[in-house]
Amino acid sequence: MTIFKHNGSAVVAMVGKNCFAIASDRRLGVQLQTIATDFQRISKIHDKLYIGLSGLATDSQTLYQRLVFRHKLYQLREELDMKPETFASLVSAMQYEKRFGPYFCQPVIAGLGDDDKPFICTMDAIGAKELAKDFVVAGTASESLYGACESMFKPDMEAEELFETISQALLSSVDRDCLSGWGGHVYVVTPTEVKERILKGRMD
Amino acid sequence: MTKQHANWSPYDNNGGSCVAIAGSDYCVIAADTRMSTGYNILTRDYSKISHLAEKCVMASSGFQADVKALQKVLSARHLTYQHQHNKQMSCPAMAQLLSNTLYYKRFFPYYSFNVLGGLDSEGKGCVFTYDAVGSYERVGYSSQGSGSTLIMPFLDNQLKSPSPLLLPAQDAVTPLSETEAVDLVKTVFASATERDIYTGDKVEIVILNASGIHRDFMDLRKD
């Protein structure tokens, strides 16, 4: 479906030892024209929950705004931050609501759940969840990301090694995709801190 | 009145992935042995690799009927060359012949995605990569086929030299040893097999070096 290739995107999340990393590219394009080189695809829901939205940029912005709204309501009512598993079900339900006129977005959700256990999942544009124990990928560079992550991933990596691995996987993959790139944005989240880093890659 | 389209296609895609890596004095060419059509497996034991000349090996994925026809044409042309010149074709010569043969059928192409590997006249490894109509380029490494989008980024990561535009100038890529290259090939096929349904069963690895040709097999996941 070429609507998913309109803006171009690459998002990946990986599980480590008591931590997770989520990374995206920074390009926003309109087909072959690059419009922005600092586009934020990953957003924070709360300190231990991040969502990266690939696909059509307008739909990812709208979906993000609606999700923040729903999460704030949840926080007011429940006096709690949402668990990642719960949040994933919320995103899935919201997407399926639009089953016959969907948001053209493929979300990647990453968070620390109960006992700070890392949780990642992705879903298609109509909310079919895919839980994974190792890594999830989305975007126009998804096939390249599958290959790179499958070769580079090891279970139980510490935060620093996880950062290196996810960065290398992201940069090698977007370099083979014309519609994504212009650097990378990586968040590495442990129970105690969040490290946000910008990657310098090929600027084409 | 919209134009009527054919309800039959002369082409099919039998899937599979091919990889070739060139070293300083060797070349590794590999392809999986699965032949499929749609969601079915026709056989787990089909070789996509063809030994065209003494120092030249071709791996082809795509439509295997066209691949078989292409191999026959090249083999016949090579035999003619041997009769006329009293020597084997060099790998760069075969590379040009393959390009011309593919372009000859520009308007009804061979649905064949090829990588040619071998040793050049100086004994150095060479790899040539092609599209279906004969556009080709000499490279240090390449992959083609259904798993190529999964494999290429990882090969870039492991093998690509740093940009020549960088300052201070960085040294070119340290060439891998033959065993390291074979290990890399095994790793990429294992990874591609996990995520590509058309790649699996076994990988056939051919190594060309000064002492001749050596063939090896490695089992892959059969699902």
Side-chain angles (χ1 to χ4, degrees):
Chain A
M1 289 255 289
T2 43
I3 187 74
F4 289 100
K5 296 195 206 287
H6 185 68
N7 294 126
S9 53
V11 183
V12 55
M14 273 191 192
V15 165
K17 197 175 172 66
N18 301 321
C19 63
F20 70 83
I22 182 167
S24 76
D25 72 321
R26 307 188 77 206
R27 179 183 178 272
L28 175 72
V30 172
Q31 299 198 309
L32 54 96
Q33 159 120 72
T34 302
I35 303 292
T37 56
D38 57 358
F39 188 66
Q40 278 269 30
R41 253 177 204 102
I42 299 172
S43 315
K44 188 171 93 162
I45 302 293
H46 62 73
D47 283 335
K48 292 183 181 178
L49 181 55
Y50 285 76
I51 181 165
L53 289 156
S54 72
L56 195 62
T58 176
D59 279 354
S60 35
Q61 285 183 329
T62 303
L63 188 59
Y64 170 66
Q65 287 163 3
R66 289 191 65 207
L67 286 167
V68 161
F69 172 75
R70 294 289 298 264
H71 184 251
K72 281 183 178 173
L73 268 179
Y74 182 93
Q75 279 175 323
L76 287 169
R77 289 182 180 135
E78 309 290 326
E79 294 179 12
L80 257 191
D81 284 334
M82 245 194 217
K83 282 197 290 206
E85 295 86 350
T86 315
F87 184 71
S89 297
L90 171 66
V91 181
S92 171
M94 282 175 67
Q95 287 192 297
Y96 199 78
E97 269 181 340
K98 304 281 179 204
R99 171 64 177 81
F100 299 107
Y103 290 116
F104 295 110
C105 270
Q106 205 184 344
V108 166
I109 295 159
L112 293 174
D114 286 336
D115 299 321
D116 291 329
K117 188 161 178 293
F119 170 88
I120 52 169
C121 90
T122 185
M123 56 195 79
D124 69 3
I126 45 176
K129 266 188 286 188
E130 188 217 314
L131 305 174
K133 294 200 175 73
D134 42 13
F135 58 87
V136 289
V137 304
T140 50
S142 60
E143 281 201 43
S144 308
L145 279 164
Y146 270 126
C149 291
E150 196 67 59
S151 316
M152 297 189 202
F153 180 82
K154 286 191 322 265
D156 289 327
M157 284 187 278
E158 296 289 344
E160 280 309 308
E161 199 189 351
L162 186 65
F163 166 70
E164 284 301 326
T165 306
I166 200 174
S167 305
Q168 288 294 323
L170 181 70
L171 288 179
S172 333
S173 304
V174 302
D175 284 350
R176 282 279 169 181
D177 175 27
C178 333
L179 298 176
S180 47
W182 284 93
H185 221 122
V186 186
Y187 293 81
V188 181
V189 180
T190 56
T192 44
E193 63 163 354
V194 173
K195 266 220 179 94
E196 180 189 339
R197 280 175 272 221
I198 309 274
L199 300 175
K200 186 166 180 291
R202 285 185 65 110
M203 302 300 192
D204 60 1
Chain B
M1 176 74 186
T2 47
K3 190 172 178 184
Q4 268 219 312
H5 283 112
N7 52 10
W8 174 84
S9 167
Y11 296 114
D12 189 14
N13 190 348
N14 300 118
S17 315
C18 311
V19 169
I21 301 176
S24 51
D25 61 349
Y26 66 87
C27 188
V28 180
I29 302 99
D32 70 323
T33 60
R34 173 176 286 180
M35 185 166 159
S36 39
T37 175
Y39 288 122
N40 300 312
I41 295 178
L42 292 169
T43 177
R44 298 189 190 279
D45 204 12
Y46 190 83
S47 175
K48 297 185 184 61
I49 298 183
S50 167
H51 193 187
L52 296 175
E54 191 193 352
K55 294 189 178 160
C56 187
V57 171
M58 178 173 80
S60 317
S61 76
F63 181 38
Q64 291 301 324
D66 273 357
V67 168
K68 190 65 95 184
L70 180 64
Q71 287 171 352
K72 278 175 107 175
V73 166
L74 292 171
S75 185
R77 288 296 301 272
H78 183 232
L79 190 59
T80 311
Y81 182 96
Q82 283 180 80
H83 288 149
Q84 290 173 346
H85 297 88
N86 195 23
K87 65 173 182 174
Q88 294 269 327
M89 270 179 96
S90 67
C91 194
M94 184 60 85
Q96 184 69 58
L97 177 64
L98 174 55
S99 170
N100 293 149
T101 309
L102 291 169
Y103 198 79
Y104 196 72
K105 281 180 45 86
R106 169 65 178 81
F107 299 109
F108 182 19
Y110 290 108
Y111 194 98
S112 165
F113 299 99
N114 310 294
V115 270
L116 198 73
L119 303 172
D120 65 14
S121 337
E122 295 163 23
K124 286 196 206 143
C126 60
V127 170
F128 297 89
T129 188
Y130 295 78
D131 72 358
V133 285
S135 161
Y136 81 114
E137 187 189 2
R138 181 170 176 173
V139 288
Y141 60 91
S142 184
S143 73
Q144 291 284 352
S146 57
S148 67
T149 47
L150 286 87
I151 294 171
M152 262 324 243
F154 187 61
L155 290 181
D156 286 337
N157 186 266
Q158 300 291 306
L159 299 173
K160 199 180 191 83
S161 20
S163 168
L165 302 169
L166 283 173
L167 278 177
Q170 286 190 23
D171 203 8
V173 64
T174 45
L176 293 185
S177 73
E178 194 182 295
T179 19
E180 285 172 330
V182 172
D183 282 343
L184 178 60
V185 163
K186 290 179 177 175
T187 306
V188 292
F189 269 95
S191 305
T193 303
E194 293 287 309
R195 295 284 175 170
D196 176 29
I197 58 176
Y198 300 109
T199 301
D201 295 329
K202 281 203 300 281
V203 56
E204 182 184 2
I205 305 174
V206 169
I207 306 157
L208 266 174
N209 52 26
S211 32
I213 186 165
H214 176 72
R215 189 178 304 257
D216 202 8
F217 289 87
M218 183 184 89
D219 267 3
L220 297 170
R221 282 180 69 158
K222 299 184 183 332
D223 64 354

